[in-house]
């Protein structure tokens, strides 16, 4: 039987946080054997926020290198940069004519972002979920691993696909979300009731996957916990819970095993172990990334090859769409 198809994408926002890694990227890597995976650097989506050209260019390459560094295998999966495949822009236009203004107005991310940045409420910010729907539908994806923040966008992609299929027959696979049971939701180290985020003003609140070992240990040591001096996963112990789930994610140990391991130990000891284990588990990624960044030719070869493969798949879908909607063939 043919493998099912997975599509996902990540925006090139400088380096990725531990949250991006444990919550998404690590999972992308592990899906590669069981599924045909397509992973994209969503640099077109990144344009909805004002960017310095040279930063966007550098961040796109860095993000692509990180994708490979964490273990996305360009032989097994299609790893490409969104703007390299023109079908994305083209399908975006078509789908925008099958998406209602009212639907886009209801997107909570649009409402949040436009409220937070009233100085740049551009049309792209508004139609962003249509571009995202196109990304997914071009590859006829069966499953889309996304965080809950993208769930509403994925739901819209399903609605667009169903609507289009309702008019023209089965053109698109209707994608399902893929929400793995095991991925850790990584919280801020300084305010563990909030998600870990790079846009946090306090750099001590987040760890990036390229942080050097000393920095990682230092940040974990200064993580907010509580005054109970008890390593246990419980309601109200958000700081400790967060460190426990990070430790669990990097060592594979269960929460019970961790509780046992640290019975009778203070937080100092616990934090040292978490910091060391984390720094060690990110070491191969850091090393592989440094290696890749020294080999620009190899990276170029990979993203060109990825773009060619992505184009092959997506052009087929786009051709079908153009035919169905009545665009005269050239
Ligand atoms: N919008 C997603 C985010 O910001 C990134 C993204 C773009 C994406 N296209 C996608 C995710 C398609 C899943 C599928 O996280």
């Amino acid at each position: 039987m043919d493998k099912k198809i997975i599509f996902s994408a990540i925006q090139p926002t400088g380096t990725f946080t531990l949250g991006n890694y444990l919550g998404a990227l690590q999972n992308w890597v592990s899906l590669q054997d069981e599924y045909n995976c397509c992973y994209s650097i969503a640099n077109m989506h990144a344009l909805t926020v004002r960017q310095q050209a040279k930063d966007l260019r550098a961040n796109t390459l860095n993000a692509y290198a990180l994708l490979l560094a964490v273990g996305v295998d360009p032989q097994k999966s299609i790893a490409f940069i969104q703007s390299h495949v023109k079908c994305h822009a083209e399908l975006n236009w078509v789908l925008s004519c099958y998406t209602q203004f009212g639907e886009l107005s209801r997107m909570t991310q649009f409402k949040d972002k436009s409220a937070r940045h009233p100085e740049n409420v551009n049309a792209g910010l508004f139609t962003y979920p249509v571009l995202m729907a196109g990304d997914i539908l071009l590859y006829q994806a069966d499953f889309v691993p996304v965080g809950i923040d993208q769930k509403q966008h994925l739901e819209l992609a399903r609605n667009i696909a169903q609507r289009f299929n309702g008019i023209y027959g089965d053109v698109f696979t209707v994608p399902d979300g893929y929400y793995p049971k095991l991925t850790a939701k990584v919280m801020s180290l300084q305010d563990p009731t909030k998600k870990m985020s790079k846009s946090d003003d306090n750099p001590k609140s987040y760890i990036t996957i390229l942080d050097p070992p000393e920095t990682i240990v230092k940040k974990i040591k200064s993580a907010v916990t509580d005054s109970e001096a008890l390593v246990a996963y419980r309601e109200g112990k958000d700081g400790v819970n967060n460190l426990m789930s990070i430790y669990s994610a990097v060592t594979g140990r269960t929460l019970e095993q961790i509780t046992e391991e640290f019975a009778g130990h203070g937080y100092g000891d616990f934090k040292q172990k978490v910091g060391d284990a984390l720094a060690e588990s990110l070491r191969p990624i850091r090393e592989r990334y440094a290696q890749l960044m020294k080999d620009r030719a190899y990276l170029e070869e990979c993203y060109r090859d990825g773009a060619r493969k992505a184009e092959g798949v997506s052009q087929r879908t786009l051709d079908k769409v153009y035919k169905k909607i009545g665009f005269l063939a050239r």
Side-chain angles (χ1 to χ4, degrees), residues 7-9 38 40 42 44-45 80 82 87-89 91-92 95 128-141 314:
F7 184 95
S8 201
C38 308
S40 182
M44 292 166 73
H45 280 95
F80 72 103
Q82 191 183 25
C87 300
H88 291 257
L91 186 61
N92 175 55
L95 295 184
Y128 171 119
V130 182
L131 182 62
M132 178 166 159
D135 292 346
I136 299 164
L137 302 182
L138 277 174
Y139 299 86
Q140 306 288 355
S314 55

Side-chain angles (χ1 to χ4, degrees), residues 1 22 35 44 55 65 86 96 128 134 147 153 168 174 195 210 237 280 285 296 301-302 305 315 319:
M1 215 188 70
L22 296 180
Y35 298 93
M44 292 166 73
D55 295 340
K86 295 187 168 61
S96 72
Y128 171 119
H153 293 163
Y168 301 106
V174 179
K195 205 173 112 174
L210 295 176
K237 290 176 72 73
E280 198 47 40
I285 297 174
R296 178 82 185 241
E301 192 183 304
C302 290
D305 185 55
Q315 189 66 55
D319 286 348

Side-chain angles (χ1 to χ4, degrees), residues 53-65:
K54 74 173 192 337
D55 295 340
L56 180 58
R57 194 157 27 240
N59 286 341
T60 303
L61 185 69
N62 296 352
Y64 189 82

Side-chain angles (χ1 to χ4, degrees), residues 32 121 256 279-280 300:
Q32 292 182 103
V121 184
E256 294 75 49
E280 198 47 40
E300 285 173 2

Side-chain angles (χ1 to χ4, degrees), residues 64-83:
Y64 189 82
L66 271 170
L67 200 63
L68 303 196
V70 299
V72 168
D73 179 347
Q75 306 299 326
K76 272 191 220 162
S77 303
I78 301 180
F80 72 103
I81 294 164
Q82 191 183 25
S83 66

Side-chain angles (χ1 to χ4, degrees), residues 101-169:
F101 181 86
E103 289 179 296
L104 292 174
S105 310
R106 284 194 290 277
M107 295 293 122
T108 57
Q109 194 176 76
F110 172 73
K111 289 193 268 190
D112 289 351
K113 285 190 181 174
S114 52
R116 269 189 288 135
H117 301 283
E119 74 294 344
N120 187 18
V121 184
N122 60 78
L125 194 66
F126 188 65
T127 61
Y128 171 119
V130 182
L131 182 62
M132 178 166 159
D135 292 346
I136 299 164
L137 302 182
L138 277 174
Y139 299 86
Q140 306 288 355
D142 297 287
F143 297 108
V144 183
V146 281
I148 30 174
D149 61 316
Q150 298 296 319
K151 210 170 169 176
Q152 198 185 24
H153 293 163
L154 181 62
E155 201 50 45
L156 179 66
R158 288 171 54 85
N159 291 339
I160 297 172
Q162 279 160 342
R163 180 173 311 148
F164 198 92
N165 287 351
I167 306 171
Y168 301 106

Side-chain angles (χ1 to χ4, degrees), residues 169-201:
D170 282 340
V171 178
F172 296 124
T173 300
V174 179
D176 276 306
Y178 184 97
Y179 309 102
K181 314 137 226 60
L182 282 174
T183 52
K185 184 169 179 202
V186 184
M187 310 304 281
S188 157
L189 298 176
Q190 294 299 316
D191 177 359
T193 60
K194 283 194 327 203
K195 205 173 112 174
M196 180 179 284
S197 163
K198 224 177 358 218
S199 48
D200 201 308
D201 292 330

